[in-house]
Amino acid sequence: MFDLDATLDLLDTPASPADDALAWAPRESGHGRAALAAALDDGLLSEEVDAILAGRRVVEAFPVRWGETPPAYATRAVAEMMAAYLQ
């Protein structure tokens, strides 16, 4: 039987494979750059982004999900940044 909850849990897990960290780094970098550019385009100031990230990289604060393209990740990460900023 299909388990929707288990499938949704898989979607919420980061796609960073521990065994292949070097191959993963360029992908994270592209996603991170897309998210930072989108955050600034959407009106967050660089100081606000720095405060939200608190010394972390974007992909550490808001992990990339499996199969997520840089534009899709940027949209979601900026939405999560805005929510964190408002809290």
Side-chain angles (χ1 to χ4, degrees), residues 14-59:
S16 177
D19 298 339
D20 201 11
L22 292 178
W24 184 248
R27 179 176 177 201
E28 287 183 341
S29 176
H31 284 70
R33 282 194 305 269
L36 289 175
L40 297 175
D41 285 345
D42 287 352
L44 283 171
L45 301 175
S46 60
E47 296 84 16
E48 294 168 333
V49 173
D50 289 342
I52 293 165
L53 296 178
R56 301 170 292 178
R57 294 180 309 138
V58 176
V59 295

Side-chain angles (χ1 to χ4, degrees), residues 60-87:
E60 291 171 337
F62 309 99
V64 178
R65 294 179 181 164
W66 180 254
E68 201 166 34
T69 64
Y73 171 72
T75 300
R76 181 181 59 81
V78 171
E80 291 182 19
M81 280 185 222
M82 293 284 193
Y85 177 72
L86 292 174
Q87 290 181 358

